[in-house]
Amino acid sequence: MIDQLLRATQESAFANWVQETAYPYVITLHSIGLALLVGLLVLIDLRVLGFGRGLPLPALRKLMTVIWIGFWTNFASGIMLFTIDAKKDFYSPLFRIKLSSIAVGLILGTLIKRRVLDRDIEYAAVDANAPPLAKVLALCSLLCWMGAIVSGRLLAYFTFGDVGVDG
């Protein structure tokens, strides 16, 4: 049943349109979303780890709106890209690693926001140091985003097993 749904998805007129017409625009949007989402979260993670101490931690909270715009841009464009190779992606361990890394990275980003960026009084000084737990979260966040990016790129080049759509 799931194979039929995946086959129908990637043989749909929408998937064909994405692949034949919209692909350059969709992959560009995906790259822009990635830059906003991961680029800004990496900036926050590095500040939490102690880099750029001249930047007050609570000031970074303002970036969260742009981060979520990046996420939703990637979510929409990612679904469009998924339709092109739905069956291959669905069964790929790399795809599962990518999605898991994204989910954990978002959770970690939310925890960092709540535990550090939302605490104006505790971390308002420009040289404020984040607590050790926040530093661990930031390091784990960096690893998650690296995992998501690497697995996402490798996904374009590897197929695991015979998962192609049957003729």
Side-chain angles (χ1 to χ4, degrees), residues 1-12 82-83 86-87 90:
M1 166 107 171
I2 190 76
D3 284 351
Q4 292 143 340
L5 178 61
L6 294 168
R7 181 188 314 164
T9 299
Q10 70 187 51
E11 291 177 353
S12 69
F82 176 81
T83 65
K87 191 169 182 186
F90 182 81

Side-chain angles (χ1 to χ4, degrees), residues 32-51 55 57 60-72 74 101-114 116-117 134-146 148-149:
I32 291 168
L34 182 70
L36 294 174
L37 171 64
V38 179
L40 294 175
L41 283 172
V42 165
L43 174 75
I44 291 169
D45 290 339
L46 290 174
R47 175 56 188 95
V48 169
L49 288 169
F51 297 93
L55 189 58
L57 285 161
L60 297 173
R61 181 178 55 233
K62 295 176 184 176
L63 298 176
M64 294 309 288
T65 301
V66 180
I67 288 167
W68 283 109
I69 290 169
F71 169 77
W72 289 111
N74 266 27
S101 296
I102 292 167
V104 174
L106 289 171
I107 291 167
L108 292 171
T110 301
L111 288 172
I112 290 168
K113 178 186 176 290
R114 288 184 183 156
V116 179
L117 305 184
K135 291 181 179 188
V136 170
L137 295 175
L139 183 60
C140 291
S141 173
L142 288 171
L143 293 172
C144 283
W145 294 115
M146 195 174 350
I149 291 169

Side-chain angles (χ1 to χ4, degrees), residues 83-141:
T83 65
I84 297 171
D85 274 324
K87 191 169 182 186
K88 178 191 129 194
D89 289 349
F90 182 81
Y91 287 109
S92 171
L94 288 169
F95 187 69
R96 293 164 194 234
I97 290 168
K98 176 182 175 176
L99 293 184
S100 298
S101 296
I102 292 167
V104 174
L106 289 171
I107 291 167
L108 292 171
T110 301
L111 288 172
I112 290 168
K113 178 186 176 290
R114 288 184 183 156
R115 292 176 181 256
V116 179
L117 305 184
D118 284 346
R119 297 194 176 168
D120 291 333
I121 296 169
E122 292 175 65
Y123 303 111
V126 291
D127 62 345
N129 201 11
L133 176 59
K135 291 181 179 188
V136 170
L137 295 175
L139 183 60
C140 291
S141 173

